[in-house]
Amino acid sequence: MKYRRILFSILAVILLASAAGCSSSQNEEHKASAKARLITEDEKVYVGFILDTLQDERWYRDKELFETQVKELGAEVKTLAANGSTEVQISQAELLIAEGVDVLAVVPYDAEAAAEIVELAHKADVKVVSYDRLIKNADVDYYVSFDNEKVGELQASEIVKKKSKGKFAYIGGAETDNNAVLFRKGAMKVLQPLIDKGDIELVYDQYTEKWDPAVAERNMKKALKKEGNKITAVVAANDGTAGGVIKALSASGLAGTVPVSGQDAELEGVRRVYKEIQSMTVYKPIVTLAKNAAEVAVKAGRNENIATETSVHNGKADVPSILLEPIAVTKDNIQDTVVKDGYLDKKDITGE
């Protein structure tokens, strides 16, 4: 660990100096700041946390909770966010590896492309933990997430409770995100039998580039136009896409009459659930996710034994995994879930 950091501290300066778009004066500033940020305690585990984005509310929570837990465990952490760019995310991994991290926790933007991060890390004897989203086709060391097929099952099940027949639309997440694929897979476990019976017609089925609510809104408008506004229900993959869907429904005078699912229990999503504009969301206790992932990352950095009860095949390897239970949130159980856990404040939800 000690010698690797000495070598990588030199590489970090070189990497930063060659970063695209930097002037020579900027390069000198980057070199100085890189030296200041390197971990000097030889035996202290250094964790790199690479996020896809910080443009969504929930990832700020993950960042804060994960960093706090890592530090409480006696390790150090540095977080970088790629904001929806594969190239930036790979460059950030290279930088953190060069700075001497012992382990990377990665929320991949592109599940397939992130395999390069694993390859780079392993060449430097750095372990990789897939955080929330699984990196595909790579020898990932550990995966910590929720049961994402179960998320999709919960979404579809709650919608089917509202409407069990008619024309359904599926507005997914980003196809580059393996979780979005799993959400749809879980939802189809519920919907397909009803489709086969002829009770449900899936008239629109589209992923949403970069999970962008504006893209979801455009997709929903296309679905409404295609069907002459005759859409019975919508399974939307998260609260952001649900927000876009509901904007499109509002423009057609249908908001609140067409059931719409969500996920992540974001404040705006839960507010819509409370107002009965959105039918449900899925609460994935991020405190639990961040705590488990931080513990795995720090133990991995210390080369300690890590107990896992299951594994998930990612196309190349059976990845040792910890899968946590998601919770469906409707207006009836807001108090007993997100409010009771202190995740959201009741006054913020109700406005009272």
Side-chain angles (χ1 to χ4, degrees), residues 48-67 77-86 88-90 92-93 96 104-110 117 129 131-133 286 289-290:
F49 190 26
I50 306 178
L51 293 167
D52 162 23
T53 183
L54 280 173
Q55 294 175 343
D56 296 331
E57 172 195 325
R58 72 147 288 189
W59 295 112
Y60 278 100
R61 292 178 180 269
D62 288 82
K63 176 182 182 295
E64 294 170 1
L65 291 164
F66 182 83
E67 288 177 341
V77 59
K78 179 177 177 179
T79 302
L80 298 174
N83 290 329
S85 169
T86 293
V88 170
Q89 193 160 58
I90 291 171
Q92 289 175 338
L96 289 168
L104 287 174
V106 182
V107 181
Y109 162 64
D110 186 314
I117 293 174
V129 178
Y131 182 107
D132 193 51
R133 302 175 182 172
I286 296 172
L289 173 62

Side-chain angles (χ1 to χ4, degrees), residues 93-143:
E94 290 175 323
L95 173 61
L96 289 168
I97 291 167
E99 287 191 357
V101 294
D102 302 298
V103 60
L104 287 174
V106 182
V107 181
Y109 162 64
D110 186 314
E112 298 281 353
E116 185 175 344
I117 293 174
V118 180
E119 184 178 349
L120 291 166
H122 284 179
K123 283 180 180 177
D125 195 28
V126 172
K127 292 184 173 65
V128 178
V129 178
S130 258
Y131 182 107
D132 193 51
R133 302 175 182 172
L134 183 62
I135 298 172
K136 299 295 292 294
N137 296 313
D139 291 313
V140 178
D141 295 284
Y142 297 99
Y143 174 45

Side-chain angles (χ1 to χ4, degrees), residues 138-160:
D139 291 313
V140 178
D141 295 284
Y142 297 99
Y143 174 45
V144 184
S145 186
F146 288 87
D147 184 337
N148 291 304
E149 283 192 35
K150 181 69 176 294
V151 169
E153 289 180 48
L154 292 174
Q155 290 172 327
S157 294
E158 290 298 327
I159 294 303
V160 167

Side-chain angles (χ1 to χ4, degrees), residues 21-36:
C22 287
S23 66
S24 58
S25 62
Q26 287 174 320
N27 285 340
E28 293 303 317
E29 291 174 6
H30 283 319
K31 288 177 185 177
S33 61
K35 290 177 183 176

